[in-house]
Amino acid sequence: MSVAPQSHQIAFVLGPQYLRKKAGKLSVLIYDTARKKAELVMQITERIQIQTVGGFEIEGRTGPQIAFSPDLRSLAVLDDSTLQMYALTP
Amino acid sequence: MNRLRILSLALSVTAVLCCCNSLVVHAADRPLIQANLRWSKPASAGLGHPSVLKFVTSSKLAIAGPPEDLPGGASLKQGRVEILDVATGTVTQEIPWSAPSSKGNFALIAALPLSDERFFFQSWDQLMLFSAEGKIVATRTLPIESKQADYNPDLTLWDIWRFLSSPDGRDLLAIRHRVTSREIEEHWLSVEMLEDLQLRTSSGPDNMMAVGREQELCRAAVPKKEPIAIRTKNGESHALCPKCYGSTAVFLNENQIVVSSWPRARFLVVSTDGPNSSRSNNRQEG
């Protein structure tokens, strides 16, 4: 959860409601406290990694790391290999 | 832990405004706020799992990789934090850092935005205050004590420092968890020179979550039994509101607090007046 004091906005991330076999999606939303409205910004597919430990397959699901700028005008998304920067515009 | 948090948040997208006239607002099915890709670049070697991914200003992103042990069994591990220009993605500054190899990988680095586009950076026992232009304007060395663990002679325990800043970036709190005692030190630092403005010592658990200009938010000792507490500096704490049970709370601004709570995925927007405020006018639930 990130907040933007100047614009009175709250950014947050929602994950899949249920675990499924295929990768789910993470939804990035922004809630505007003045307009009392949540808006979907983008969706990011979660990553499924399977490791074999002691003969057992262990499945891990991870999302990218996400950071919002203080003014909520920029969004940084980092996964294992790529860093992406988005401009957020209404 | 992050995964659990995400799963818990996934329970609902519905935002509810809790007023005299209840209003339910659903998240839009399609983006109303456009996210346009500015730039994309491969993560530098060692930056795949950073311990810091933080905007230190609206135009500067700090990203740090995990520490790397120096060859030859050196007593120090080292790393670097890159400051990227948000508009172009170019590295405008690199800040080296180092820490004892015997130190865990957590609580080594902190980066916080401050007022006037300045930012604060911590590397192990070194504090640095940077100007908007990226110049160091003040430094300070923290005291850090260590002791051998009673249960493992090969394990060295160190003091841990945590850092919090107010929403307007004009207040900076350093919290020291001492390894040699149960005392917790709360150092209010000047955001001009990083010297102590005020020192408070407590023997209770460290439960500070966020700080504002005049108030602090504290996690309940038993979060599911007690709501999040708020207290004025040097004052007594009290429940933020009767329904403010939550895992995380941050200051949205000096007058509003956001509480992320359970069991339903929801957040509350609460007035800093807390229980003294009018319920119908000062709380939103989302």
Side-chain angles (χ1 to χ4, degrees):
Chain A
M1 183 170 68
S2 296
V3 299
Q6 294 172 354
S7 56
H8 296 223
Q9 290 176 315
I10 305 160
F12 57 101
V13 180
L14 295 177
Q17 189 166 1
Y18 303 104
L19 281 178
R20 302 181 192 280
K21 283 190 175 180
K22 64 180 183 180
K25 289 187 176 180
L26 304 171
S27 297
V28 180
L29 297 103
I30 291 179
Y31 179 74
D32 190 308
T33 60
R35 298 164 59 197
K36 299 178 177 59
K37 192 172 185 180
E39 294 184 352
L40 178 67
V41 175
M42 64 188 302
Q43 290 189 312
I44 302 168
T45 304
E46 65 180 357
R47 184 181 300 270
I48 298 179
Q49 294 175 320
I50 298 178
Q51 291 181 322
T52 303
V53 179
F56 293 95
E57 283 191 346
I58 299 176
E59 179 184 293
R61 294 176 181 234
T62 56
Q65 291 200 54
I66 293 172
F68 289 92
S69 63
D71 58 4
L72 284 190
R73 297 282 179 85
S74 301
L75 166 67
V77 179
L78 177 72
D79 64 17
D80 290 340
S81 59
T82 308
L83 174 63
Q84 295 175 309
M85 182 67 68
Y86 292 89
L88 303 179
T89 53
Chain B
M1 184 61 73
N2 282 338
R3 187 177 158 207
L4 286 174
R5 190 174 296 163
I6 289 170
L7 286 175
S8 68
L9 284 170
L11 295 174
S12 171
V13 186
T14 305
V16 180
L17 174 63
C18 188
C19 281
C20 300
N21 300 316
S22 291
L23 172 66
V24 178
V25 182
H26 292 276
D29 293 325
R30 59 183 176 79
L32 297 178
I33 295 177
Q34 296 293 324
N36 301 311
L37 184 65
R38 275 202 184 110
W39 49 263
S40 174
K41 61 189 290 186
S44 303
L47 293 184
H49 301 279
S51 51
V52 169
L53 179 69
K54 181 100 176 174
F55 285 86
V56 289
T57 74
S58 293
S59 60
K60 293 178 181 175
L61 175 73
I63 179 170
E68 300 170 354
D69 288 321
L70 293 173
S75 59
L76 289 179
K77 51 189 166 186
Q78 63 180 9
R80 70 183 191 282
V81 171
E82 293 179 347
I83 306 295
L84 305 182
D85 182 88
V86 169
T88 63
T90 55
V91 178
T92 59
Q93 193 170 0
E94 287 192 0
I95 307 172
W97 63 268
S98 60
S101 295
S102 59
K103 183 71 179 72
N105 288 346
F106 56 92
L108 286 176
I109 312 171
L112 293 172
L114 295 177
S115 57
D116 304 324
E117 298 286 297
R118 296 169 304 146
F119 60 96
F120 164 84
F121 182 77
Q122 173 234 348
S123 160
W124 181 233
D125 63 348
Q126 296 300 308
L127 305 185
M128 286 167 270
L129 181 67
F130 288 86
S131 67
E133 295 76 31
K135 307 290 185 187
I136 295 177
V137 293
T139 61
R140 177 176 172 178
T141 302
L142 295 173
I144 297 185
E145 297 176 333
S146 66
K147 64 175 283 191
Q148 300 303 123
D150 298 333
Y151 51 91
N152 184 350
D154 297 326
L155 179 62
T156 304
L157 303 174
W158 300 85
D159 289 352
I160 293 175
W161 286 83
R162 288 200 306 129
F163 300 88
L164 299 168
S165 62
S166 60
D168 62 5
R170 298 188 185 279
D171 292 81
L172 181 61
L173 175 65
I175 304 170
R176 181 187 187 187
H177 303 248
R178 300 194 66 166
V179 74
T180 55
S181 75
R182 296 181 64 84
E183 284 187 345
I184 294 170
E185 297 174 2
E186 296 172 5
H187 300 252
W188 290 94
L189 305 182
S190 154
V191 293
E192 306 297 332
M193 296 303 294
L194 297 178
E195 78 271 21
D196 273 15
L197 296 176
Q198 183 183 350
L199 171 62
R200 182 170 60 192
T201 304
S202 67
S203 56
D206 169 41
N207 53 8
M208 193 84 74
M209 279 193 296
V211 296
R213 294 240 63 187
E214 303 295 335
Q215 295 168 308
E216 305 158 353
L217 296 175
C218 303
R219 185 181 293 109
V222 187
K224 290 188 177 179
K225 288 187 176 180
E226 302 169 17
I228 288 170
I230 186 169
R231 71 180 181 197
T232 55
K233 292 176 182 173
N234 298 322
E236 293 294 318
S237 65
H238 57 75
L240 179 59
C241 77
K243 289 189 175 181
C244 290
Y245 293 83
S247 54
T248 307
V250 295
F251 282 89
L252 177 60
N253 51 49
E254 287 306 315
N255 302 314
Q256 290 179 305
I257 295 162
V258 186
V259 179
S260 170
S261 65
W262 67 78
R264 286 186 64 208
R266 64 174 187 168
F267 54 80
L268 309 172
V269 181
V270 190
S271 163
T272 52
D273 296 338
N276 298 325
S277 63
S278 164
R279 172 178 171 176
S280 60
N281 291 330
N282 290 287
R283 196 180 68 221
Q284 300 172 37
E285 295 185 6

